[in-house]
Amino acid sequence: MTEEQDLIDQSPPPSAPDPEPNSSTNPNSVIHPRRVSFEHGLLPIQKLVFTDPIQTLAPVKQKLADAASNNRVGSAAIADVLQISGDHARLVLETLGSVLHSESDPLVRAKPEEVDSVGADLRDLILFLYIQSYKKLLPRTHKDSAAVADVWPSTSAFDGYLSALSPIQLVRSNSRRFMPSQADDEAHQLSYLQKHLANIISLLAEPVEGEGDESLVFSMEAFEHLGFLVQFGDKGSDVSPLSQATPFFANSDPDMPAVPVPASQVHDWLLQNIASALESITERISGKENGPSNDQDDAMSDVCAAPNKVAPSTRGPCLIEGVSKTSLVKQASDLRGRSVKVVNCHDSVIYLLAPLRYATVHGCSDTTIVLGAVGKAIKVEHCERVHVIVAAKRVCIANCRECVFFLGVNQRPLIVGDNHKLQVAPYNTFYSHLEEHMREVGLEPTINKWDKPLALGAVDPHDSLSHPAGVADAQAESAASVDPDQFVNFLIPNWFSGAELGSTKDNPFPLPDAYMAAQQRNLKNFEETRRSLKEAPLEENRKRELSSALHVYFKDWLYASGNIRQLYCLQGD
């Protein structure tokens, strides 16, 4: 992509004429980008980034179509046509499957051993490849950078080979830039779609038989695949099929094939809706900048003025922001079936014990984050000294330092960007409803690929924060396995005494032999030490002194480690 195109992608939304009113659709229904496609569907593989998509992707589409069976493309064909490795072709299918808009698609329902052969629908694959040209929005400056600077920890003790800044410093550099709000992201994604809509329509449209490429049409089936990029639905409502929001497919007879419509009509209708949505979002953003905001979807409210903020957004992810020096617990009744973002949290312990679809952990430090069961994907980015404990379908780690990940993960962990001193370990905890939540989101406890991380490029072509000047691309630093002798179980407190208990009594992911043997050795050593102390030939007053000394050392450890805070929080609840 040229520098000029980069500037266009980062520029404000272009002005557009007012859309014509459409009486056939719900006047309250607004088009939105499918954010998960842009947030969890981008891969830093240079061969997937087409700088001129319509010129380079059209012949690729034809080659994939020639190799397709029943309009589906398997991993072997993807590797051959795109000239990528088999591992990367498998990664393309797994990533696409995690962000598909249709839960009934065979790729979403495929068992791990079936993914390569089931493959992807050609139209979904083309859209997935197209958006690899997307550039993420630059983080914006926080409105009170001086106050925020006082909240966050000091400089990291070491420097990386790609950058002298740590991930959090990198995020906070350039006048304390912070993660864009939901409105900012939506406007940027809609602007991208507005700019590229004509290309996207031409790639998905079909020529009328006998009339050539000059006469392109859209069937209702092809139109539904645009649901990978956009959706309609009011806040708090379920997302309906994309075709039901249109004037040309909404009233089609379900027993009869819908009549295809001209591609130009689809293009104009979508362009009008995107322009209308952009105008609305731009007005909302402008209103926030010029006055107080009450919108809970604003992702970056003041960290100091509103610590421990949990924003229960009715559309989009639940936001947990600015938690500092405390413990926070959310359970299934708060989050079931939702997506969640944990942003800019420091020196805390956060429990999100619920079945989730997607999760993002961004810009956190010195924090332990325990997530329940994540059925689609979790991304951890720009974090320092964070422990993440999660059962998930897939995990992506980007631009992190000195973090430890305790994983029950069905697909290979993906490591991208500028990472340093990462460690991975098998899953190490449980809570009473864990297995129920895993079944609900489709996780398989017999498959755990925690120790098979896949490292991609150290420079992410989608993220301008990961582009240090003058540094060529290199493979990301992978993660080391935690020493089995250093592996310990994590105990989740019973935060809700009296609540109905589930059936999980132990870690559902089997431990590897080396870790199980180490645990047994540690337990044996503990029992021997306890027995030796109990049977020590000491007078009663000396035993009391020994017991008192042990309690003092334990209390000192609680304060030094910060774990005393969890006890106070548990007592407070």
Side-chain angles (χ1 to χ4, degrees):
M1 182 171 286
T2 64
E3 291 182 2
E4 182 180 1
Q5 286 173 311
D6 286 347
L7 291 173
I8 291 174
D9 276 355
Q10 294 290 342
S11 63
S15 58
D18 291 334
E20 297 174 7
N22 192 337
S23 58
S24 301
T25 60
N26 182 347
N28 296 319
S29 184
V30 178
I31 198 169
H32 300 282
R34 276 193 79 243
R35 298 184 67 196
V36 296
S37 295
F38 295 97
E39 293 177 359
H40 296 276
L42 303 179
L43 289 174
I45 300 175
Q46 198 61 48
K47 287 187 177 179
L48 301 185
V49 180
F50 295 89
T51 54
D52 187 357
I54 195 61
Q55 292 297 321
T56 54
L57 203 49
V60 167
K61 176 191 174 185
Q62 187 56 54
K63 290 180 182 178
L64 290 170
D66 292 342
S69 175
N70 294 323
N71 215 39
R72 300 194 72 85
V73 188
S75 64
I78 292 172
D80 181 53
V81 172
L82 298 178
Q83 295 296 292
I84 58 177
S85 68
D87 283 345
H88 287 180
R90 169 82 181 207
L91 179 62
V92 165
L93 288 176
E94 290 178 340
T95 306
L96 175 57
S98 73
V99 295
L100 274 178
H101 56 296
S102 172
E103 291 296 320
S104 62
D105 189 275
L107 182 58
V108 177
R109 296 178 173 272
K111 296 177 181 178
E113 64 272 16
E114 298 171 341
V115 168
D116 292 311
S117 58
V118 166
D121 186 285
L122 175 62
R123 291 159 293 196
D124 294 329
L125 179 59
I126 291 301
L127 292 177
F128 174 82
L129 292 174
Y130 195 102
I131 66 168
Q132 301 306 311
S133 66
Y134 175 75
K135 290 278 189 177
K136 298 174 187 175
L137 183 63
L138 284 170
R140 64 187 179 86
T141 303
H142 196 278
K143 63 186 179 184
D144 190 1
S145 58
V148 172
D150 291 337
V151 174
W152 294 103
S154 60
T155 309
S156 180
F158 56 90
D159 296 329
Y161 69 91
L162 276 181
S163 171
L165 293 178
S166 71
I168 290 181
Q169 289 171 313
L170 199 56
V171 171
R172 288 182 281 151
S173 63
N174 298 324
S175 303
R176 301 289 176 183
R177 295 184 183 276
F178 274 72
M179 193 176 185
S181 71
Q182 177 166 307
D184 292 332
D185 262 341
E186 283 205 5
H188 186 61
Q189 289 158 10
L190 284 173
S191 295
Y192 172 85
L193 293 173
Q194 184 183 53
K195 174 185 171 185
H196 293 272
L197 187 62
N199 290 347
I200 292 169
I201 292 296
S202 68
L203 285 169
L204 254 63
E206 302 156 357
V208 176
E209 189 172 350
E211 296 189 24
D213 291 341
E214 293 76 18
S215 180
L216 296 175
V217 295
F218 252 82
S219 65
M220 187 167 76
E221 181 187 4
F223 184 80
E224 288 291 3
H225 287 275
L226 289 172
F228 179 76
L229 299 176
V230 294
Q231 65 188 35
F232 282 85
D234 302 327
K235 288 190 176 184
S237 68
D238 293 329
V239 176
S240 57
L242 190 63
S243 60
Q244 297 307 302
T246 71
F248 31 86
F249 290 130
N251 298 317
S252 299
D253 186 341
D255 298 324
M256 294 286 291
V259 177
V261 299
S264 58
Q265 185 178 351
V266 173
H267 172 269
D268 293 346
W269 181 81
L270 282 172
L271 202 60
Q272 289 174 357
N273 278 277
I274 290 172
S276 177
L278 272 171
E279 181 180 1
S280 174
I281 292 173
T282 302
E283 289 176 356
R284 194 162 83 240
I285 293 174
S286 176
K288 290 178 189 176
E289 290 175 349
N290 297 327
S293 169
N294 294 318
D295 188 351
Q296 288 177 318
D297 285 345
D298 184 359
M300 293 293 110
S301 66
D302 187 78
V303 173
C304 302
N308 310 338
K309 174 188 171 187
V310 179
S313 155
T314 53
R315 184 178 59 79
C318 174
L319 177 69
I320 295 170
E321 179 208 3
V323 176
S324 181
K325 299 183 183 299
T326 189
S327 294
L328 176 72
V329 185
K330 305 296 284 184
Q331 56 182 334
S333 58
D334 305 309
L335 299 171
R336 183 180 297 275
R338 297 286 300 281
S339 297
V340 66
K341 286 191 174 184
V342 182
V343 179
N344 296 342
C345 296
H346 169 59
D347 195 14
S348 297
V349 181
I350 298 172
Y351 301 87
L352 307 177
L353 310 180
L356 304 167
R357 287 175 58 77
Y358 298 93
T360 299
V361 179
H362 177 96
C364 297
S365 64
D366 301 290
T367 294
T368 295
I369 301 167
V370 185
L371 296 108
V374 182
K376 294 293 186 180
I378 173 173
K379 186 170 187 179
V380 183
E381 56 188 0
H382 300 293
C383 290
E384 282 186 353
R385 299 176 302 280
V386 165
H387 286 201
V388 176
I389 305 173
V390 62
K393 177 69 67 68
R394 60 184 282 110
V395 174
C396 179
I397 303 164
N399 304 308
C400 292
R401 289 195 180 204
E402 298 181 351
C403 296
V404 186
F405 300 86
F406 297 88
L407 303 176
V409 59
N410 289 172
Q411 298 174 9
R412 296 178 67 181
L414 185 62
I415 299 179
V416 301
D418 184 14
N419 300 283
H420 298 281
K421 298 187 178 180
L422 302 183
Q423 290 183 286
V424 290
Y427 194 73
N428 67 339
T429 193
F430 70 94
Y431 58 96
S432 70
H433 291 285
L434 176 59
E435 288 171 302
E436 170 194 333
H437 293 169
M438 289 174 60
R439 286 191 296 270
E440 186 172 328
V441 300
L443 297 186
E444 177 53 66
T446 61
I447 301 174
N448 192 359
K449 298 191 176 183
W450 68 273
D451 58 342
K452 297 178 176 62
L454 178 59
L456 295 184
V459 173
D460 185 351
H462 311 106
D463 186 354
S464 56
L465 286 176
S466 297
H467 279 282
V471 178
D473 197 4
Q475 183 169 303
E477 181 181 311
S478 193
S481 296
V482 169
D483 188 312
D485 288 328
Q486 302 299 316
F487 178 82
V488 293
N489 286 327
F490 185 89
L491 179 64
I492 296 177
N494 181 16
W495 291 99
F496 304 99
S497 57
E500 181 183 354
L501 295 178
S503 59
T504 303
K505 307 295 183 185
D506 202 354
N507 184 348
F509 292 94
L511 282 180
D513 292 342
Y515 289 85
M516 179 62 75
Q519 279 207 335
Q520 291 171 347
R521 284 196 304 272
N522 291 337
L523 181 60
K524 181 180 178 181
N525 292 337
F526 170 75
E527 292 294 342
E528 289 178 353
T529 301
R530 184 168 67 171
R531 186 172 62 253
S532 297
L533 290 173
K534 187 176 181 180
E535 297 174 357
L538 298 174
E539 297 177 0
E540 284 302 316
N541 61 329
R542 299 293 291 175
K543 285 187 177 182
R544 284 194 295 271
E545 289 176 6
L546 177 60
S547 177
S548 177
L550 289 172
H551 279 92
V552 169
Y553 281 119
F554 180 64
K555 189 174 181 180
D556 288 345
W557 173 81
L558 283 173
Y559 278 100
S561 65
N563 287 312
I564 190 68
R565 191 182 301 123
Q566 286 199 71
L567 295 181
Y568 285 136
C569 291
L570 187 59
Q571 290 174 346
D573 289 349

